[in-house]
């Protein structure tokens, strides 16, 4: 019998492989790695989130239009989030000129967009372009392609401007581009599940998981608001409850197992309990937590007439 893979303390090295290509001896390392990264991220969360539906949808549409690997889109969303948060931190530490206080935007998000509004579309595209360059499985967006695409959506910019925007983002990220995205969590967890439970047809689940994940990231606010109200048993959660709940909304391990459990429920409902139990064993996340989030997602899939999922 093959050795079962579970999260446990240890060291690991990340390797970029296509789904199904990772040898079993590396899967444990991958699992430990993403689990630790997830924990580290949850301990250093920003209070600001820029993963708004229209912005995420725009990024995913760019990746589709340029025929890039889906990983590029989710990676670009993470790069943009980190860049904007860093830019915000720099903005808040910059001394305010005398007499300028009355002109301050009403929120942190407004402050960032006010500062970046003229160049923001190009910043977003630069995140996609950088994500394409670090992906091992996607075409790289060169500056000619970038200029042509931007012109097609109404932004006529020179190659030099594109390079300067890319450099702005790189400096804002302190040249740290190797960040994980939700799809990476889903793929690794799905591979581990397939290793531990050979009877689960993970290759069939793989494609549906992509659609489920896309639905969740686009309906993120509504889904997690419902989960929060279900958890607190109240229609108007307090500010303190919402602040504490951020660790749930940003938990990529929880998101990953929820995506897989939803896909399993849709395609192989008879195996659903088995899969949820095994995902709980793999990650240490309780079966109830997985089931609760999966139930909320399924309710939203059924009730939302959204074109986000096409099976």
């Amino acid at each position: 019998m093959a050795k079962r893979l579970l999260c446990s303390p240890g060291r690991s090295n990340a390797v970029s492989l296509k789904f199904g290509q990772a040898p079993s001896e590396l899967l444990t390392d991958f699992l430990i790695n993403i689990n630790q990264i997830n924990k580290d991220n949850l301990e250093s969360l920003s209070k600001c989130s820029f993963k708004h539906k229209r912005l995420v949808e725009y990024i995913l549409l760019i990746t589709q239009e340029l025929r890039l690997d889906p990983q590029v889109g989710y990676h670009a969303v993470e790069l943009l989030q980190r860049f904007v948060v860093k830019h915000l931190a720099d903005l808040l530490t910059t001394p305010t000129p005398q007499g300028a206080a009355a002109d301050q935007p009403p929120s942190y998000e407004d402050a960032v967009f006010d500062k970046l509004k003229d160049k923001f579309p190009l910043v977003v595209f630069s995140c996609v372009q950088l994500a394409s360059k670090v992906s091992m499985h996607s075409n790289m967006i060169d500056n000619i392609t970038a200029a042509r695409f931007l012109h097609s959506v109404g932004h006529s910019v020179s190659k030099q401007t594109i390079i300067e925007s890319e450099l702005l983002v790189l400096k804002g990220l302190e040249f740290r581009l190797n960040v994980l995205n939700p799809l990476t969590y889903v793929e690794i967890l799905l591979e581990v599940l397939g290793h531990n439970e050979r009877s689960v047809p993970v290759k069939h689940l793989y494609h549906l998981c992509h659609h489920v994940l896309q639905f969740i990231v686009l309906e993120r606010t509504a889904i997690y608001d419902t989960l929060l109200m279900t958890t607190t048993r109240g229609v108007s959660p307090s500010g303190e409850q919402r602040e504490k709940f951020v660790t749930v909304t940003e938990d990529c391990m929880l998101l990953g197992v929820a995506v897989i459990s939803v896909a399993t429920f849709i395609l192989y409902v008879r195996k659903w309990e088995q899969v949820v139990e095994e995902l709980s064993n793999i990650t240490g996340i309780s079966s109830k937590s997985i089931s609760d989030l999966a139930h909320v997602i399924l309710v939203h899939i059924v009730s939302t007439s959204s074109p986000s999922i096409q099976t």
Side-chain angles (χ1 to χ4, degrees):
M1 180 178 177
K3 181 180 178 181
R4 300 183 75 78
L5 304 181
L6 308 172
C7 281
S8 59
R11 298 183 64 180
S12 63
N13 296 312
V15 179
S16 179
L17 295 170
K18 273 283 193 180
F19 180 79
Q21 291 181 347
S24 59
E25 60 269 20
L26 286 181
L27 284 177
T28 298
D29 283 347
F30 290 168
L31 186 60
I32 293 169
N33 188 42
I34 64 171
N35 187 53
Q36 188 58 54
I37 290 173
N38 187 57
K39 287 181 178 179
D40 292 342
N41 289 341
L42 292 177
E43 291 175 358
S44 57
L45 288 174
S46 167
K47 293 182 180 180
C48 300
S49 175
F50 294 87
K51 298 176 183 179
H52 304 301
K53 178 177 179 177
R54 290 182 63 186
L55 187 54
V56 173
E57 186 174 29
Y58 178 62
I59 291 173
L60 296 181
L61 285 172
I62 291 175
T63 61
Q64 290 176 13
E65 181 68 23
L66 295 176
R67 299 181 180 180
L68 303 173
D69 189 281
Q71 283 277 4
V72 173
Y74 293 108
H75 193 169
V77 171
E78 297 302 319
L79 293 181
L80 182 64
Q81 167 73 13
R82 283 160 174 75
F83 169 76
V84 174
V85 168
K86 178 64 167 57
H87 193 82
L88 171 61
D90 293 343
L91 184 66
L92 294 178
T93 56
T94 302
T96 303
Q98 285 187 337
D103 299 326
Q104 291 299 303
S107 70
Y108 290 159
E109 290 86 350
D110 289 339
V112 173
F113 287 121
D114 186 62
K115 194 81 172 179
L116 287 174
K117 61 184 178 182
D118 293 333
K119 61 182 76 170
F120 195 70
L122 188 52
V123 166
V124 172
F125 187 85
S126 292
C127 289
V128 177
Q129 188 172 14
L130 288 169
S132 78
K133 290 182 177 180
V134 298
S135 172
M136 295 179 65
H137 311 295
S138 184
N139 296 325
M140 184 180 71
I141 304 175
D142 58 34
N143 291 333
I144 295 176
T145 303
R148 186 183 301 121
F149 176 82
L150 288 167
H151 178 75
S152 71
V153 294
H155 301 288
S156 296
V157 294
S158 66
K159 295 177 187 176
Q160 182 62 34
T161 302
I162 292 171
I163 293 172
E164 290 172 357
S165 175
E166 201 172 18
L167 187 58
L168 172 70
V169 174
L170 274 171
K171 289 181 177 179
L173 294 170
E174 298 177 332
F175 296 88
R176 298 174 183 172
L177 302 180
N178 190 23
V179 297
L180 293 183
N181 64 73
L183 183 54
T184 301
Y185 284 88
V186 171
E187 292 187 346
I188 291 177
L189 289 168
L190 195 57
E191 287 214 54
V192 174
L193 174 66
H195 177 275
N196 288 1
E197 293 290 345
R198 301 288 185 178
S199 65
V200 177
V202 294
K203 288 186 178 180
H204 292 162
L205 290 174
Y206 175 74
H207 297 290
L208 183 56
C209 281
H210 277 251
H211 295 297
V212 172
L213 177 61
Q214 181 174 314
F215 178 86
I216 295 170
V217 298
L218 292 177
E219 300 297 329
R220 166 191 170 94
T221 301
I223 288 171
Y224 283 108
D225 278 351
T226 301
L227 182 63
L228 175 58
M229 288 186 287
T230 302
T231 303
T232 59
R233 298 181 180 179
V235 294
S236 300
S238 66
E240 182 180 359
Q241 287 174 321
R242 288 187 177 279
E243 187 172 334
K244 290 181 178 179
F245 198 70
V246 172
T247 57
V248 176
T249 64
E250 299 300 325
D251 189 336
C252 286
M253 290 291 277
L254 175 60
L255 173 59
V257 293
V259 168
I260 296 169
S261 65
V262 168
T264 303
F265 187 91
I266 294 172
L267 285 183
Y268 306 103
V269 67
R270 292 183 180 179
K271 289 186 176 292
W272 186 73
E273 290 185 1
Q274 174 192 352
V275 167
V276 170
E277 182 179 353
E278 183 56 36
L279 289 171
S280 178
N281 291 335
I282 291 169
T283 62
I285 299 171
S286 71
S287 296
K288 184 179 186 306
S289 295
I290 298 172
S291 300
D292 286 349
L293 179 53
H295 178 262
V296 169
I297 295 166
L298 285 163
V299 168
H300 278 270
I301 289 175
V302 171
S303 63
T304 304
S305 56
S306 170
S308 300
I309 292 188
Q310 300 170 354
T311 59

